[in-house]
Amino acid sequence: MSLIPKKGTVYVVDDDEAVRDSLQWLLEGKDYRVRCFDSAESFLTRYDPREVACLIVDIRMGGMTGLELQDRLLERKSPLPIVFITGHGDVPMAVNTMKKGALDFIQKPFDEQELLGLVERMLDHAREAFAGYQQAASRDALLSKLTSREAQVLERIVAGRLNKQIADDLGISIKTVEAHRANIMEKLNANTVADLLKIALGQQAAKA
């Protein structure tokens, strides 16, 4: 058994057993963790969005097609990088998948070195997306600690409102605003207003 750390997970979704087996053999030989599925439906029940992974999927399959699977993942706002396997007649269709965010497509029979290069590119994308996912989750966890009133105060701090203006906006005293500010700083582990803005604006950017 290899002692080298696995490089990442590659999901393979194809209803052709021979294609699944050949991809698994090729990728495991390069120390990738490979998980194969014979249908898009079975993949969706097992896919973990918290995993650093990429997806190789056949564009045409019985049941849910690769195109429909891409649409499902887009609906879930999944950051999973996708490469489609296509037949010669599917190239215009594959180009359309790239307009929806697919990273690339490969034609059957595919070139092994080209495929390995694509997988490495996809996993680089996945690592970046996973880091962003973790940061967003961390921010959301911090912001969830705020009361609704504290969230209102934070929103106005971000907008550049002064304590007196925030007090007038919310119909509370300046001292109460100051108390809320202190609680917000403590709950968000922020030492400065700049720290506070980074956390709050980071969350807004993630939602945009």
Side-chain angles (χ1 to χ4, degrees):
M1 182 176 171
S2 172
L3 297 177
I4 303 170
K6 295 289 183 186
K7 297 175 182 176
T9 297
V10 182
Y11 291 109
V12 175
V13 181
D14 197 309
D15 57 3
D16 185 329
E17 185 178 4
V19 172
R20 293 197 307 272
D21 288 348
S22 66
L23 285 171
Q24 185 163 14
W25 176 85
L26 172 65
L27 293 166
E28 286 186 344
K30 298 296 182 182
D31 210 44
Y32 293 103
R33 183 181 293 107
V34 183
R35 297 179 67 189
C36 293
F37 299 89
D38 60 6
S39 71
E41 291 87 347
S42 60
F43 163 75
L44 283 171
T45 64
R46 302 287 300 277
Y47 166 53
D48 183 353
R50 297 167 298 178
E51 193 169 23
V52 176
C54 64
L55 171 64
I56 299 173
V57 59
D58 193 359
I59 209 163
R60 291 181 186 273
M61 293 184 290
M64 187 188 298
T65 66
L67 298 173
E68 291 167 336
L69 174 57
Q70 182 185 32
D71 288 339
R72 289 286 185 91
L73 291 170
L74 286 172
E75 286 169 11
R76 296 184 182 189
K77 300 192 182 335
S78 165
L80 186 69
I82 304 173
V83 161
F84 283 93
I85 302 173
T86 71
H88 292 294
D90 296 332
V91 172
M93 200 184 299
V95 171
N96 192 45
T97 69
M98 293 183 69
K99 291 177 182 175
K100 291 183 178 181
L103 207 62
D104 213 329
F105 61 89
I106 50 174
Q107 285 185 265
K108 300 175 185 175
F110 42 81
D111 178 89
E112 292 186 358
Q113 291 310 309
E114 179 189 1
L115 175 65
L116 291 170
L118 277 175
V119 165
E120 199 47 51
R121 269 177 54 210
M122 285 200 295
L123 287 172
D124 284 343
H125 278 267
R127 289 179 195 105
E128 290 173 15
F130 186 64
Y133 174 91
Q134 287 183 309
Q135 288 169 358
S138 175
R139 281 193 301 269
D140 288 347
L142 287 172
L143 289 163
S144 69
K145 296 178 182 178
L146 302 182
T147 65
S148 58
R149 178 64 88 187
E150 287 165 353
Q152 291 174 333
V153 171
L154 176 59
E155 185 181 336
R156 286 160 176 78
I157 293 171
V158 170
R161 306 285 283 170
L162 303 173
N163 282 359
K164 183 179 186 310
Q165 293 171 316
I166 296 173
D168 291 343
D169 289 345
L170 300 178
I172 56 180
S173 71
I174 292 176
K175 282 194 172 181
T176 302
V177 173
E178 289 170 348
H180 284 316
R181 281 184 80 125
N183 286 341
I184 292 165
M185 299 283 279
E186 182 179 349
K187 287 181 179 180
L188 300 187
N189 300 325
N191 296 318
T192 65
V193 174
D195 291 340
L196 203 61
L197 292 175
K198 282 178 189 173
I199 294 168
L201 292 173
Q203 190 235 16
Q204 288 177 8
K207 287 186 176 180

